[in-house]
């Protein structure tokens, strides 16, 4: 690459960050160890620690950062979600993170376009557009976590490319900051448009490119790939095609340029109408050869998506787990959309059956018309890559030949070639992708720390890419970008003459080679900067966890995210003192564990680190609680006097008095005077139901069901414990209330593992004789089910496993019960009810049952909330530990609740109820699922009387 000025590698580690802080403000610049560690990786196989990270919040921030980098010759790497598989979101100088620029600026419903900032997550964009009946068509499989900026940089597409095309086909205009710190509104101009000449005068680089393309039109046409999609090199082909039509299509140049020509601050996107209905089909072929024959016929149905997974892939992800027949040689996933209600997808389904009938299928095609079932059919495909991390402790999925494109009619031939090649190498491989347009994703499983596997990787890289070009006439890159992986092969694909044009494009816009150097055009081997340490770990760094992390949702910074925390706490140089601010930021909501296809529980890793430095004040409180008598007496006093100390004036005084004590829990901890505290019970649940309590050594006769009420139901006057007991009684069960201690969730959160184990042992002994253990608290449910993780192999682990199998949440109990207690057909009019899914209950595997129960209640109009499965921010005591962050997390939940128009928000956890009541105040009622059941049963009895 031509470089007019050398890149500066600063000798003072904080020099760059200090300069940038003076320029932009201290809150937007980071260079501490945790931040550098988190931003050293993306979803690729590489690691490059930056010198500083800038979290830009405006166009002025972008221009100032670029100006500084250019003036000092410091490499600058734009970054959005960091889900890129090629290493283009990491760099050695400044990381410019656009994640905080994440708004929809304008939607034009009539003309079907939107102005959107680059930090917007694709899934969130489409959620917001859905209210207009619109969506953005390109949909990479990482859509839940990838952001628009990265999609533009890579020219992403995805499974539905057949219908909606790639990003380059859906961009009307881009606003781009150049290395001069000036801005260009990149759009399509007619060659005769006077404003084009003004633009070319303002931006000489554009005139240079225009002349370049016009002068070499024949060469560009000759070298243009003849496949359906290509993201390799700079898209001079799109510019040349535009010129042939009398247009200068400037966005085509920047889309797919991977941040090497400029930084995007907003994009005007072409939108499409959401389909009125969709059919998803899963077709299991017994013979691979027949897949290639079937595809042209299936394409006559005009599918929006046509995906393939080969036999190797099906084996690796686990056939049984996804209901895949043992003799399936390949699986096709097909999707058909209806543009209007007049289109009958059942007729399309019949046509699909007719096409498939002559072929040897491993089973009848699986068809899904409803959203939930269709999502299940897509589940294996969308989670495929990180799921491969479960395959082997050492061999990991390595992306280095992962995005080739061949003519669609030759995809079966390509798959057969790849299977034979890797079989010859004795390397497991997953082959999947967009068969409808010939785009295959190839993910071998290798231990790159093993010399033999490393050499196989290098051999495969050279041979497969060469074969795709020479034998198949394809492209080495369809939608993932060149990045560091393919940069060295771009010249091989296009030849020296066109490659020289690419170099001239780069030099015209970035003569100093500051913007993302080493990306797209480079002679450096793809093996440089591989993160051999990380590739021996369990995390795929895919960022699925970030998509559900409530802390990341607020801060939009990689060091405050689940993926970032994994990197930080597993780093060789990890230090609690250096990393305390991030280690203590986690809510332990378990959302990362719930979503991770690789089975990584980042929150558990965080808890392990906290256990090395347990909180002293919390330990004293929990030990006092375990002893019982004095703790209970104190709560009784507080309950008796709450009518006094819970008044506004006294709460303000109390906040001041408690401030120094709260700081012992966390620097951010406080007892806000305006926090709506739960009402303490004058008589605890165990006192109110003394006839159900036991002393542990003498269980109540003929009782098979015990109620683990937990701390909140016992201490608070919120009616939850009473409701659970009454519901059980209505189902013919008189529950026992054995002696019990805190399940352990809050204790574990503050690092006191020994106290957690002691409590677990007590509870295991106390509940050992019961067949069923009913819970009403989500955190208790999960903790009891997780007891086996507290103990090593042996008798205690066996005892914990026995208890875990008995635990059912009250919503599960009711959903499974054979009893059908009478309910009133309607009581007090119809209520509009929505459901907040408590994080720990989802982590415990209980998601459908609460919804089933609520939907079955007479007089209830159940409405699914858009963000039902997102954390509300309470997380037990987190609302006290960091109230401000807790409320920022809740803001999203509040907006979602408002959109439902619900009269009642139901939930499954008393802790969530505190947060919901505090945030919603009196605007919406908050009830436990058991309380709504209690209301229905009571109304049913009254109606019978």
């Amino acid at each position: 690459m031509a470089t007019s000025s050398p890149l500066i590698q600063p000798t003072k580690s904080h020099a760059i960050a200090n300069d940038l802080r003076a320029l932009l403000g201290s809150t937007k610049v980071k260079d501490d160890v945790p931040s550098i560690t988190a931003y050293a990786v993306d979803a690729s196989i590489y690691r490059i620690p930056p010198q500083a990270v800038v979290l830009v919040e405006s166009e002025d921030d972008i221009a100032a950062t670029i100006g500084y980098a250019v003036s000092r010759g410091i490499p600058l790497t734009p970054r959005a979600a960091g889900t890129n598989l090629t290493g283009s979101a990491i760099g050695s100088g400044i990381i410019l993170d656009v994640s905080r620029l994440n708004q929809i600026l304008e939607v034009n419903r009539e003309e079907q376009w939107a102005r959107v900032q680059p930090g917007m997550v694709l899934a969130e964009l489409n959620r917001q557009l859905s209210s207009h009946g619109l969506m953005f068509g390109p949909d990479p499989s990482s859509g839940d976590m990838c952001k628009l900026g990265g999609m533009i940089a890579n020219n992403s597409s995805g499974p539905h490319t057949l219908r909606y095309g790639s990003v380059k086909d859906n961009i009307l205009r881009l606003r781009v900051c150049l290395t001069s710190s000036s801005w260009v509104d990149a759009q399509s101009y007619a060659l005769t448009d006077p404003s084009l000449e003004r633009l070319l005068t303002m931006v000489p680089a554009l005139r240079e490119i225009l002349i370049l393309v016009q002068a070499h039109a024949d060469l560009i046409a000759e070298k243009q790939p003849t496949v359906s999609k290509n993201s390799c090199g700079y898209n001079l082909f799109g510019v040349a095609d535009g010129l042939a039509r009398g247009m200068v299509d400037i966005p085509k140049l920047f889309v797919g340029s991977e941040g090497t020509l400029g930084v995007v601050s907003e994009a005007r996107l072409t939108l499409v109408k959401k389909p009125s209905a969709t059919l998803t089909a899963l077709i299991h072929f017994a013979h691979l050869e027949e897949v290639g024959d079937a595809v042209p016929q299936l394409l006559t149905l005009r599918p929006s998506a046509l995906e393939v997974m080969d036999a190797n892939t099906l084996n690796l992800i686990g056939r049984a787990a996804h209901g895949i027949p043992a003799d399936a040689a390949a699986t096709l996933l097909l999707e058909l959309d209806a543009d209007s209600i007049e289109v009958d997808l059942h007729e399309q389904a019949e046509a699909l059956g007719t096409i498939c009938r002559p072929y040897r299928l491993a089973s009848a095609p699986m068809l899904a018309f409803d959203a939930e079932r269709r999502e299940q059919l897509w589940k294996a495909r969308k989670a495929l890559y990180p799921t491969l991390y479960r395959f082997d402790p050492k061999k990991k999925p390595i992306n280095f030949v992962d995005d080739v494109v061949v003519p669609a009619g030759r995809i079966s031939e390509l798959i057969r070639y790849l299977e034979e090649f890797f079989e010859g190498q004795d390397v497991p491989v997953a082959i999947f992708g967009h068969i409808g347009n010939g785009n295959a994703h190839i993910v071998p499983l290798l231990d790159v720390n093993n010399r033999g596997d490393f050499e196989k990787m290098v051999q495969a890289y050279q041979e497969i890419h060469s074969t795709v070009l020479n034998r198949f006439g394809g492209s080495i890159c369809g939608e993932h970008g060149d990045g560091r992986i393919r940069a060295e092969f771009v010249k091989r694909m296009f030849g020296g003459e066109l490659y020289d044009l690419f170099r001239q494009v780069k030099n015209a816009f970035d003569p100093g080679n500051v913007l993302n150097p080493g990306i797209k055009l480079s002679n450096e081997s793809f093996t440089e900067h591989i993160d051999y340490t990380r590739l021996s770990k369990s995390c795929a760094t895919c960022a699925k966890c970030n998509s559900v992390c409530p802390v990341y949702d607020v801060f939009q910074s990689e060091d405050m995210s689940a993926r970032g925390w994994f990197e930080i706490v597993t780093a060789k140089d990890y230090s609690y003192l250096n990393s305390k601010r991030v280690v203590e930021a986690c809510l332990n909501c378990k959302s990362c564990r719930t979503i991770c296809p690789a089975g990584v529980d980042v929150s558990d890793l965080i808890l392990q680190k906290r256990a090395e430095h347990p909180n002293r004040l919390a330990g004293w409180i929990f030990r006092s609680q375990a002893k019982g008598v004095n703790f209970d007496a104190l709560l009784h006093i507080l309950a008796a006097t709450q009518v006094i100390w819970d008044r506004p004036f006294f709460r303000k005084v109390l906040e001041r008095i408690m401030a120094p004590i709260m700081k012992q829990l966390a620097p951010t901890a406080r007892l806000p005077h305006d926090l709506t505290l739960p009402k303490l019970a004058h008589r605890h649940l165990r006192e109110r139901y003394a006839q159900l309590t036991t002393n542990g050594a003498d269980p109540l006769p003929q009782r098979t069901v015990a109620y683990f009420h937990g701390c909140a139901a016992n201490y608070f006057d919120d009616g939850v414990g009473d409701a659970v007991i009454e519901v059980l009684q209505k189902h013919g069960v008189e529950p026992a209330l054995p002696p019990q201690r805190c399940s352990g969730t809050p204790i574990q959160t503050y690092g006191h593992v020994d106290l957690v184990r002691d409590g677990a042992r007590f509870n295991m002994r106390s509940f050992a004789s019961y067949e069923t253990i009913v819970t009403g608290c989500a955190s208790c449910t999960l903790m009891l089910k997780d007891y086996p993780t507290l103990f090593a192999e042996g008798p205690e682990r066996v005892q914990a496993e026995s208890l875990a199998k008995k635990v059912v949440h009250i919503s599960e109990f009711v959903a499974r019960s054979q009893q059908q207690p009478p309910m009133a057909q309607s009581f007090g009019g119809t209520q509009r009810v929505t459901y907040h899914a408590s994080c720990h209950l989802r982590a415990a595997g209980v998601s459908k049952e609460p919804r089933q129960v609520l939907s079955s209640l007479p007089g209830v109009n159940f409405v699914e909330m858009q963000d039902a499965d997102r954390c509300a921010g309470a997380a037990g005591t987190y609302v006290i530990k960091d109230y401000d962050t807790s409320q920022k997390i809740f803001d999203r939940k509040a907006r979602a609740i408002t959109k439902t128009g619900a009269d009642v928000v139901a939930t499954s956890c008393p802790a969530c109820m505190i947060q919901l009541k505090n945030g919603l105040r009196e605007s919406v009622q908050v009830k436990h699922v058991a309380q709504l059941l209690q209301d229905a049963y009571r109304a049913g009895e009254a109606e019978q009387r």
Side-chain angles (χ1 to χ4, degrees), residues 537-586:
K537 298 177 182 178
S538 56
C539 175
T541 64
C542 65
K544 273 190 172 291
C545 52
N546 283 9
S547 72
V548 294
C549 178
V551 177
Y552 181 68
D553 203 31
V554 169
F555 291 96
Q556 293 294 306
S557 178
E558 193 70 35
D559 56 308
M560 297 292 273
S561 74
R563 178 176 62 176
W565 294 335
F566 178 90
E567 290 301 311
I568 292 165
V569 302
T570 61
K572 288 183 179 179
D573 59 349
Y574 166 79
S575 161
Y576 178 79
L577 294 178
N578 284 341
S579 307
K580 183 177 179 179
R581 71 169 178 86
V582 296
V583 170
E584 294 296 340
C586 174

Side-chain angles (χ1 to χ4, degrees), residues 276-281 335-336 345-346 366-378 848:
S276 59
T278 300
L279 163 65
T280 303
E335 196 148 270
L336 300 168
L345 288 177
H346 288 84
M366 300 172 65
L367 305 177
F369 294 89
D370 64 284
E372 183 177 344
R373 179 65 178 143
R374 288 192 291 106
E375 187 176 332
Q376 285 300 312
L377 295 187
W378 274 101
K848 293 181 180 179

Side-chain angles (χ1 to χ4, degrees), residues 281-317:
L282 205 58
I283 312 166
H284 303 296
F285 284 80
H287 296 274
L288 178 62
E289 292 76 9
E290 294 189 346
V291 173
D293 297 333
V295 166
Q297 297 182 60
L298 292 170
L299 288 174
T300 64
L301 298 175
R302 301 179 66 188
S304 59
L306 187 57
E307 299 288 287
V308 66
M309 292 181 283
D310 82 321
N312 297 317
T313 306
L314 302 176
N315 292 337
L316 289 169
I317 64 174

Side-chain angles (χ1 to χ4, degrees), residues 503-523:
R503 287 162 55 99
Q504 291 180 58
V505 170
K506 170 66 171 171
N507 193 59
F509 283 96
D510 183 21
N513 195 29
V514 166
L515 296 180
N516 235 354
I519 301 301
K520 209 158 210 36
L521 306 179
S522 175
N523 295 322

Side-chain angles (χ1 to χ4, degrees), residues 100-118:
R100 292 181 178 177
L101 295 171
N102 54 22
Q103 300 299 310
I104 298 177
L105 302 175
E106 184 180 1
V107 176
N108 189 311
R109 186 172 181 176
E110 290 71 30
E111 298 179 12
Q112 294 185 197
W113 56 260
R115 285 173 52 228
V116 185
Q117 293 181 313

